Every structure is written in C-alpha cells, then in structure tokens.
Amino acid sequence: MENKVVAAIGPQSSGLGHIISHVANELHVPLLSFAATDPTLSSLQFPYFLRTTQNDNFQMKAIADFVSYCRWREVVAIFVDNEYGRNGVSALGDALAKKRAKISYKAAITPGAGNSSISGLLASVNLMESRIFVVHVNPDSGLNIFSVAKSLGMMGSGYVWITTDWLLTALDSMEPLDTKAMDLLQGVVAFRHYTPESEKKRQFKARWKNFRSKESSKSDDGFNSYALYAYDSVWLVARALDVFFSQGNTVTFSSDPNLKNTNDSNIKLSALDVFNEGERFLQAILEINYTGLTGKIEFDSEKDRINPAYDILNMKSTGPQRVGYWSNHTGFSVVPPETLYSKPSNTSAKNQRLNEIIWPGEVRKPPRGWVFPDNGKPLIIGVPNRVSYKYYASKDNNSLGVKGYCIDIFEAAVQLLPYPVPRTYVLYGDGKRNPSYDNLIGEVNANSFDVAVGDVTIITNRTKFVDFTQPFMESGLVVVAPVKGAKSSPWSFLKPFTIEMWAVTGGLFLFVGAVIWILEHRFNEEFRGPPRRQIITVFWFSFSTMFFSHRENTVSTLGRFVLLIWLFVVLIINSSYTASLTSILTVQQLTSRIEGMDSLITSNEAIGVQDGSFAWKYLVNELNIAPSRIMLLKDEVEYLSALQRGPRGGGVAAIVDELPYIKALLSNSNCKFRTVGQEFTRTGWGFAFQRDSPLAVDMSTAILQLSEKGKLERIRKKWLTYDHECTMQISDTENYQLSVQSFWGLFLICGIVWFIALALFCWKVFWQYQRLRPEVSDEERTSEEAGSSSRPGRSLRAASFKDLIKVVDKREAEMKEMLREKSSKKLKASQSSAENSRSKHSETSIEAVT
C-alpha cells in the first residue's frame, strides 16, 4: 500500500478483510475480495470494499430454505470460532427464524483445534435432540470433523450433515478425489457457488490443466470456484482501468495528515498516500457489466453480485453428485438458474424441486431430524393435580404416578410414535384446589415442563406461548341453570304455527275460495245468486275445505284442478299441525329464568365458574362482566349447592363451564339442571408442548390415528360413561313451531297453478267477448254516445267494460247459445248476399242482350 496502488485484490479470509477494509477506506483505494464472504463486510461500513464473490447472507438463506424444504425445525450449528464463522452462523440464525426454525445449539471450534477437542465437542452435540448439523468452518481443517464423527458413529442413519461452500472448496482443489475422504462424507449435503457452464469456462479449465501439468506433479492441482472469482476480479479491475483512462481521468495521490507514525509500531503510516480519484475509479468498477468465467458480473445497490445461486450436491462414494440448484430468483430447481431468469420470480413451496438425496446410512427417505438420545434427559410432563373431576387427570400409586382419561390418551399416542420417548410425570398443584391452567402453560413456556398433559383447553392466548397438538376432545363454554316444569297454556293449540304462518294460511283459504268462485260462477248454479249469498258461499267453501267437508260440487275443469291441488296442500298443513301439536303436548316442557348468556349478562346476578378454569378471564375480559359477580367453585359439591341455593340464598343464578364437565355435572345431579342457550365458544382439549417442539407434530399425527382406529372412543367409554344420560338443553316450544319457510315451496306450486287457471279463464272470457262485441245494438251505442257527448272517450270505455262484465256474468250455456246464433246469422247473411249478387248479375246480362 506504500507503493501508491489504485486497487487491491484480496484478501483470502474474512478476518483480514475487516482489517484491510479500514485502510482501503482511509486511502480511497477500492478493495476487491474474491473470498471474504462474511456478511458483516458491508458497503455501508466499508464504502470501498467490493465483494466479487457471493455474500454469505445468500448461502445461509439457501440453507434455511433447504431446512424448511425438508420440514425440519431445529439445527445444530458447528462453526469455526472467528469472525467468518460467528458472523456466518448469525446470518443463518436470522434466515432460519424467517422459516420458523432455529439453531438449537451453537458449537464453536477453535481454529486449528486437534481431534481430541473436536471429539469432545461432537460428543456434547450428540446429546442434543436435533440431528441436523450445519458445518461452517475453514477448508483446511474441516475434513477432520467428519473423521471424528465417523469414529463416534455420527455418520449413520438418522443423522443429517449440511456443509457450506468450504467442503467443495477443499474437494475441488483435489485432483483426483481422495477415495478415503469420499467414504467419510457419504450422505453429506454440500453447497457450492454456482458458476454457469460456458465455452469460455471450458477453455480456461483446459488451459489451466495444461499449465499445471507442466509446472507441478502434485495431487491437488484442481481449482475451486474461488479461483474463478479471483480470475474475474483481475479482469474486472483491468476493464475498469481501461474505461477510467478512456474517460480522460488521471491518477494522482496526496498525503493524509491523519496518518502519522507512532513510536510503538513499525508501520510507516506517513508513507501511505490517498488515491484522489479513488471514488471515480470505484464508480467505474461498479458500472462494468460483462460476462466472465463465473457468469454475469454486475452489482446491485448494496454492491453485491446479482443473481446469487448455489449448487446443491450430495456426497457419494464415487464423488459429489448435483441434486439441484438454489437461486434467489426461484428457490430450488433441477434446471440451471440462468434458464429461469427470464421468467417471473416464483419461490412458492409447490414450485420447489430437488432430485433424490441419499442420506447417511444409505437412507433414501428424509430423516426425521431429531431423536430422544438414550443418554439424554427424559420428557418432563406437567399434570394438573385436580381436586374435582379426577377421572380426567389425577394422582395415583401406579408406575406412572398419575391416571385419568387424558393420561390414557397421551400414553396411547406415545405408543404409536416410531421412537421411544422416556418420560416422567410431575404433578402440578397443591391438591387442595385446582391449579391455574394459565400458570401451568407458563411453566411449559419457562422450560420447567416439556409438555402439559391434562384437560388443557386450546385458547388463543395460550397458543402464543406453547404449541398444541390436534384436539383429542371437543369443548366449549355453556351456561347451566336451574329449570322447572312449564305450566300448561289454554292457548297451546295455537303454538304449532307461528303468527306469520297463521296469517298466510288464513289468507290462502280466502284466496282459494275467490278463485273457485271465479272459475265456477258461469258453470255452477251453487255459485250464483244474490251477492250476499255468493259471499257467504265463498267463505263457507274456503274454510270447509280445511276438513274436506265442502258440500258444493265443482263443475268446471279448471275449478276441479285447482281444488285438487288445494286439497293436497290442506292435507299437508293438517298433518304438520297435528304432528307439531302432539310434540308440544307430549314432550316435557322446562323453563328457566336464564335464557342464555345474553340474559345472564344483563341479570346482574352471581355467576359460578370452576376454580382454575379460563372461564373467569373470558367472562371478565371478553364479556366485561364485573369480577365481583363471579364466584369460584372448587368441586361438584359446591356446584350443586350454589345452584340449589340460588342468588338470594348466597348461591349463583347459573354456572359457566366447559361442556365435558357439564355433562358429568348433569349426570351426577340426576338431571335437575339443564344448559340454556347455545354453546358460545367452541374449543378443544390438547397437549401443550414447548414452542417449535417437533414432538407436537408427531403427537398430533398419533392422535388422528387413534381417532381413525376408534381407540379414542374406547378410552372415552372407559372413563366417561355416566349413570344418567341427561338431555343437555331445555326444550323450547319454538323448536316445534312451523313457519312459512317450511311450506314456501308448496305455496309456490299452489300459486303457480292458480295463476295458470285464472289466465286460461280470462283468455277464454276475452275471446268470447271479442266474438260477441259486434252484437251490441247500434241503437244502444248511439243513445249512449248522444247522452254523453261531453265525455265521449270515457263513455265508450264504460260501455265496453259493462259489456265485458255482462259476458263474465252470463252462464256458460247462454254464451254458447249466443255464439251459435251469431254463427247462424252470419251464415244466412252470407247466403242472402250471394243470392243478391247472382240476381244482379242475371239482370245485367238480360239488359245487355236487349
């Protein structure tokens, strides 16, 4: 740097990169590093630092995507304890957090550590649950880790080893490959910087191989991806200098007064000069855009290479085998990333593809990724020490120390797991009162327990701290209140129908009477006569059809058709009324002052809840009920006593509790109480595990298997069979009432039939009227027109309407006779006109002859 340089290429380690970047910043000299991948070497802190390789941020994102792709949740990070290792693992932790995964343990290896130190470290990580190991170390000593892991039996089935690009850096530098090293690495998944294949790259490899064969006979004559980045870095500076000088720039230096020699250092800081045109030269480098051996060389706004991509390789005895690619553009794919850059970015889960991977131990199925080690601690299970409803979970003298419905389900689910789970049950609570279940969840969150097993309700607030399994029992809050028998009402016969149904039915009876009268009036003498008689006939006929006792006969075809449909409707209505009234009079009717949660809120009376239940917080926080109204009840005896005393006797008006408890309460009370209203929360019971515990997923699957095989039902019958099965809710007469909604389809069909019948009748009457209209005498029309000359339009319309009414009111037989007479008159008129025309023609012929 004392020789007035305009650019620096290197260094080969991230640690040195931090040191030199400070000098480069002070001297305004662009520093191009082809190997310093540390993500903390950022352009924000070091403006003159330019990374010509890929940032480790992208590599760690690729590894996090791979962990998520395989559905793992925890990994163990093994890294070299320097800036390169620590900062890389920190970036991995951030990337995993975005995928809802985490680093469960960080194992740091001192640079240059011997096999004994590595062995002790691997032995400690082998005690962890996670079997996913991400190795981020230096290439020079990384292979020792796998040699020690092989000796410890950690390269067999069930283990997963993922390495960053250091492994392929070491292997690519070997030519030919070391067969012993490949045997150690069987099943390892490794990442490597992706460099697209090109003719330029192939020619370079050929030249390099030819050059090295002449210069050296060593076995490590290969070159890795960093060699390609170094080659491109030199050409990048050369091209930038060409552009820099072509723009008329010159190279000048000046001294920096801030750089002074110190007595305690051999570095001559005063000899260092500042590159005056360094900023312009840096900009010229950033603007270079060309394709090198490593692909397209272009930088984004953060001075990182665009289109970061990595190879994913699976180590086999024959050598590394590519199973796919990762790119920031599309995630995992089995085709080269450059073929996808022209398409829209798509990193959705269903678009991710990789070829088959052979895992350690020649396993083809992706390992589960975690185990319970034989020498690890057992699962600590917290069980609520209940004082009521002990058949759900309670203390016992058996080998487990606990018993109950929930315990049996948990044990049955554990037996279905494909691995052993050592476990210890620990009672939570003093045994004098039910423990707080929220506090039990807090103990799980605080790592005091690994899991809570019992009648633990799944609610929103608790899911923020723990992971629940699939519910093994449905639950929900209900209201229980005292009930009494309802008194019989003298108006019970009106209850089968709603008010709307009664009104619609009465209207239809009247309407059908009117329809039948219209259709029968011209045919049937029983529907003719004085107006008073006809009105009475309509009403009588309408309501007598209710009992099929109408005495009037229908004559017309349309009338009979309408009556047939209507009698069918009446039959359905009568049958439904009879069935509903029978149910109302025979089923025992119970009533309660409390109709449901809404009436309980407005009553201002005491409410009972179970001690330790979430119901107290729900009533106070969600329904805004005053805490002074809520009475904590310890067991079933207090439940029954509080309900029997009532609010006036120091008891409660109702109890709010979960459905499973209420079923037992009603049975033990000989069904003296009932639930009122509807279930106003719908939840379930589940087992609560620590956040991100992989065991929660496996237990959920096991619970589903228990349900499918019917074992859940058998366990329920073992513990929850009651002496008295009570009807949960009180019967409401409104449940038996029939509304218009139940018959609207029937009424619609009836209305359509009526409309068609009336339409046909009107068409026939109008047709007859049109045929008889010329029969109106000219004298009548003339007198009517003369008498109303002042309003001729209205008089003509009135006369036409009167004629129409006359036609409607006439008997059908009279109308047919009038039509026959009109037809005969027309026939005679046509015959006389024909004779007149023949006589006139004869006279004309005679005159012509004469």
Side-chain angles (χ1 to χ4, degrees):
M1 301 293 285
E2 296 177 3
N3 296 325
K4 297 182 179 181
V5 297
V6 297
I9 298 177
Q12 292 184 216
S13 68
S14 297
L16 288 177
H18 282 273
I19 299 173
I20 300 177
S21 292
H22 286 285
V23 180
N25 274 359
E26 191 67 28
L27 301 181
H28 296 182
V29 174
L31 175 63
L32 285 75
S33 178
F34 56 87
T37 59
D38 184 351
T40 61
L41 283 167
S42 65
S43 60
L44 184 64
Q45 183 181 5
F46 305 110
Y48 285 88
F49 175 81
L50 189 62
R51 198 190 329 264
T52 57
T53 185
Q54 298 294 353
N55 191 328
D56 263 351
N57 267 332
F58 299 113
Q59 181 170 212
M60 298 309 171
K61 182 180 178 182
I63 293 175
D65 284 350
F66 184 74
V67 171
S68 177
Y69 176 82
C70 297
R71 301 181 183 276
W72 296 320
R73 304 290 292 275
E74 294 183 2
V75 304
V76 172
I78 302 174
F79 62 98
V80 61
D81 193 10
N82 57 21
E83 288 183 331
Y84 160 74
R86 289 190 297 269
N87 295 334
V89 169
S90 177
L92 175 63
D94 294 340
L96 288 171
K98 295 178 180 179
K99 299 294 181 180
R100 289 203 64 186
K102 66 178 182 179
I103 299 175
S104 60
Y105 185 75
K106 296 179 180 180
I109 297 178
T110 305
N115 287 350
S116 59
S117 298
I118 296 175
S119 178
L121 184 140
L122 291 183
S124 65
V125 300
N126 200 32
L127 298 177
M128 306 297 166
E129 292 183 359
S130 177
R131 286 294 181 263
I132 314 298
F133 302 116
V134 179
V135 184
H136 184 57
V137 295
N138 292 325
D140 52 359
S141 59
L143 291 177
N144 293 340
I145 295 175
F146 292 100
S147 176
V148 174
K150 183 80 171 180
S151 64
L152 294 176
M154 296 175 64
M155 296 298 295
S157 175
Y159 289 87
V160 175
W161 292 87
I162 303 171
T163 71
T164 54
D165 62 318
W166 68 267
L167 179 58
L168 269 301
T169 298
L171 295 180
D172 289 343
S173 300
M174 299 179 184
E175 200 172 284
L177 286 174
D178 186 351
T179 55
K180 293 183 179 180
M182 296 313 301
D183 289 338
L184 289 176
L185 299 172
Q186 192 279 322
V188 174
V189 175
F191 285 72
R192 178 178 63 189
H193 294 119
Y194 171 72
T195 55
E197 295 297 326
S198 63
E199 185 61 29
K200 183 185 296 186
K201 181 178 176 181
R202 284 189 287 270
Q203 292 177 358
F204 176 80
K205 286 183 176 180
R207 295 200 310 272
W208 173 261
K209 187 175 183 179
N210 184 47
F211 170 75
R212 292 297 293 170
S213 64
K214 296 178 181 179
E215 295 292 330
S216 174
S217 59
K218 294 182 180 179
S219 60
D220 55 346
D221 287 344
F223 67 95
N224 52 55
S225 60
Y226 288 108
L228 300 179
Y229 285 113
Y231 184 84
D232 281 346
S233 299
V234 175
W235 278 103
L236 177 62
V237 173
R239 289 173 180 270
L241 283 171
D242 191 31
V243 172
F244 178 78
F245 289 122
S246 66
Q247 293 175 347
N249 295 308
T250 58
V251 176
T252 61
F253 296 89
S254 61
S255 60
D256 187 350
N258 296 324
L259 297 175
K260 299 179 180 179
N261 294 332
T262 57
N263 295 329
D264 56 348
S265 174
N266 294 326
I267 300 177
K268 299 179 180 179
L269 297 178
S270 59
L272 301 176
D273 293 327
V274 176
F275 180 24
N276 295 328
E277 290 79 16
E279 185 174 354
R280 284 200 293 269
F281 183 49
L282 176 63
Q283 191 61 35
I285 296 175
L286 293 175
E287 291 176 356
I288 292 295
N289 183 357
Y290 81 103
T291 301
L293 299 182
T294 57
K296 189 175 183 180
I297 299 177
E298 187 177 347
F299 298 92
D300 59 18
S301 58
E302 296 181 358
K303 298 181 182 178
D304 286 324
R305 289 279 297 268
I306 64 169
N307 298 330
Y310 290 86
D311 292 317
I312 298 98
L313 297 107
N314 186 201
M315 299 296 116
K316 297 184 178 181
S317 58
T318 56
Q321 180 178 347
R322 183 187 288 115
V323 294
Y325 308 87
W326 179 92
S327 71
N328 199 36
H329 185 72
T330 56
F332 294 114
S333 65
V334 293
V335 297
E338 64 269 15
T339 63
L340 302 174
Y341 290 147
S342 59
K343 300 178 181 179
S345 177
N346 186 356
T347 57
S348 61
K350 66 178 182 180
N351 196 51
Q352 306 303 293
R353 297 285 186 276
L354 286 176
N355 292 323
E356 185 183 40
I357 297 175
I358 306 299
W359 305 95
E362 300 291 336
V363 177
R364 295 180 180 273
K365 183 180 179 181
R368 187 172 61 251
W370 69 281
V371 295
F372 280 100
D374 294 336
N375 55 351
K377 66 176 183 178
L379 197 71
I380 306 300
I381 304 171
V383 179
N385 191 10
R386 297 190 58 89
V387 298
S388 62
Y389 303 108
K390 291 187 176 182
Y391 34 79
Y392 288 117
S394 63
K395 183 180 180 181
D396 193 66
N397 295 325
N398 59 17
S399 59
L400 297 177
V402 289
K403 67 176 182 179
Y405 169 72
C406 301
I407 305 300
D408 280 5
I409 291 179
F410 186 82
E411 285 292 318
V414 168
Q415 298 303 320
L416 294 178
L417 298 179
Y419 46 85
V421 180
R423 53 199 178 276
T424 301
Y425 290 92
V426 178
L427 289 170
Y428 179 75
D430 56 10
K432 298 178 180 179
R433 55 180 297 185
N434 291 334
S436 169
Y437 283 66
D438 287 338
N439 292 342
L440 176 59
I441 295 299
E443 293 294 328
V444 176
N445 184 49
N447 296 330
S448 299
F449 296 121
D450 296 310
V451 57
V453 173
D455 46 341
V456 183
T457 307
I458 303 172
I459 57 177
T460 304
N461 288 339
R462 293 174 181 174
T463 57
K464 298 177 181 178
F465 307 103
V466 296
D467 283 347
F468 281 96
T469 61
Q470 174 81 13
F472 58 85
M473 173 176 272
E474 293 183 355
S475 182
L477 291 179
V478 293
V479 179
V480 178
V483 295
K484 59 182 180 180
K487 295 181 179 179
S488 179
S489 171
W491 304 101
S492 297
F493 68 92
L494 295 176
K495 292 181 179 179
F497 288 165
T498 62
I499 296 176
E500 294 80 5
M501 182 63 184
W502 280 116
V504 171
T505 304
L508 289 176
F509 271 104
L510 294 176
F511 189 73
V512 75
V515 172
I516 294 295
W517 179 85
I518 292 172
L519 299 176
E520 290 291 321
H521 180 69
R522 303 180 68 194
F523 295 89
N524 198 336
E525 290 296 331
E526 293 181 348
F527 288 90
R528 300 185 68 85
R532 182 172 177 272
R533 177 188 171 187
Q534 296 185 49
I535 292 174
I536 293 174
T537 300
V538 169
F539 275 88
W540 166 255
F541 182 85
S542 299
F543 291 101
S544 63
T545 57
M546 182 186 300
F547 311 102
F548 306 97
S549 61
H550 52 285
R551 63 186 180 186
E552 292 80 8
N553 294 321
T554 51
V555 178
S556 66
T557 303
L558 291 177
R560 289 178 176 177
F561 182 64
V562 169
L563 182 61
L564 178 65
I565 299 300
W566 173 246
L567 291 179
F568 174 73
V569 173
V570 170
L571 176 64
I572 299 299
I573 292 176
N574 282 343
S575 302
S576 301
Y577 175 85
T578 303
S580 179
L581 182 61
T582 302
S583 300
I584 291 174
L585 296 179
T586 56
V587 176
Q588 181 185 10
Q589 302 297 323
L590 301 175
T591 61
S592 173
R593 293 186 305 104
I594 306 299
E595 297 179 354
M597 196 64 222
D598 292 336
S599 62
L600 186 61
I601 293 174
T602 58
S603 67
N604 291 321
E605 293 179 330
I607 304 172
V609 299
Q610 183 181 172
D611 188 16
S613 170
F614 79 98
W616 190 93
K617 286 187 176 181
Y618 182 84
L619 296 178
V620 173
N621 298 334
E622 301 296 332
L623 302 182
N624 298 319
I625 295 177
S628 59
R629 291 182 55 194
I630 302 177
M631 180 183 298
L632 296 177
L633 304 175
K634 185 172 65 173
D635 53 27
E636 297 174 62
V637 176
E638 291 189 1
Y639 271 40
L640 298 176
S641 175
L643 284 172
Q644 291 171 351
R645 295 197 310 269
R648 294 182 180 179
V652 296
I655 286 177
V656 176
D657 207 349
E658 295 184 70
L659 190 58
Y661 305 127
I662 295 306
K663 287 182 178 179
L665 176 68
L666 297 182
S667 175
N668 295 337
S669 66
N670 293 324
C671 306
K672 293 180 180 179
F673 308 101
R674 291 289 192 277
T675 61
V676 292
Q678 299 295 323
E679 186 177 348
F680 56 94
T681 64
R682 292 189 179 275
T683 56
W685 290 354
F687 304 128
F689 287 84
Q690 293 180 4
R691 293 285 289 178
D692 300 323
S693 171
L695 188 58
V697 178
D698 291 350
M699 287 294 288
S700 293
T701 304
I703 291 172
L704 289 175
Q705 292 176 354
L706 290 176
S707 178
E708 293 170 356
K709 295 177 180 178
K711 291 185 178 180
L712 280 185
E713 182 63 19
R714 289 196 290 270
I715 296 174
R716 187 195 68 80
K717 289 181 178 180
K718 172 185 174 182
W719 289 97
L720 306 179
T721 300
Y722 307 116
D723 296 333
H724 301 88
E725 292 290 342
C726 302
T727 302
M728 291 299 295
Q729 288 189 323
I730 62 175
S731 300
D732 193 348
T733 56
E734 293 183 358
N735 296 332
Y736 300 99
Q737 282 189 323
L738 300 173
S739 63
V740 178
Q741 187 69 21
S742 303
F743 299 96
W744 73 268
L746 193 63
F747 292 159
L748 178 63
I749 295 173
C750 194
I752 293 173
V753 170
W754 294 348
F755 175 78
I756 293 174
L758 290 174
L760 292 174
F761 175 80
C762 293
W763 174 81
K764 182 178 181 181
V765 170
F766 187 74
W767 176 75
Q768 292 175 345
Y769 169 71
Q770 289 293 335
R771 292 192 61 186
L772 294 176
R773 189 173 183 181
E775 293 295 316
V776 179
S777 61
D778 295 337
E779 292 82 1
E780 292 178 357
R781 192 177 303 280
T782 303
S783 62
E784 289 177 358
E785 291 176 354
S788 56
S789 58
S790 60
R791 292 178 293 176
R794 180 178 297 181
S795 298
L796 289 174
R797 287 194 298 270
S800 300
F801 182 73
K802 289 179 180 179
D803 294 340
L804 180 61
I805 294 300
K806 289 179 181 180
V807 172
V808 172
D809 191 53
K810 287 184 180 295
R811 292 180 175 86
E812 184 68 18
E814 295 177 0
M815 290 302 301
K816 290 181 178 179
E817 183 63 29
M818 292 173 65
L819 290 174
R820 282 196 296 269
E821 290 177 1
K822 181 178 180 182
S823 298
S824 62
K825 286 180 182 180
K826 284 185 177 181
L827 181 59
K828 290 179 182 180
S830 61
Q831 290 175 355
S832 60
S833 62
E835 291 176 359
N836 292 335
S837 62
R838 285 198 298 270
S839 61
K840 287 181 181 180
H841 180 70
S842 299
E843 290 175 0
T844 305
S845 301
I846 293 170
E847 289 177 358
V849 171
T850 306

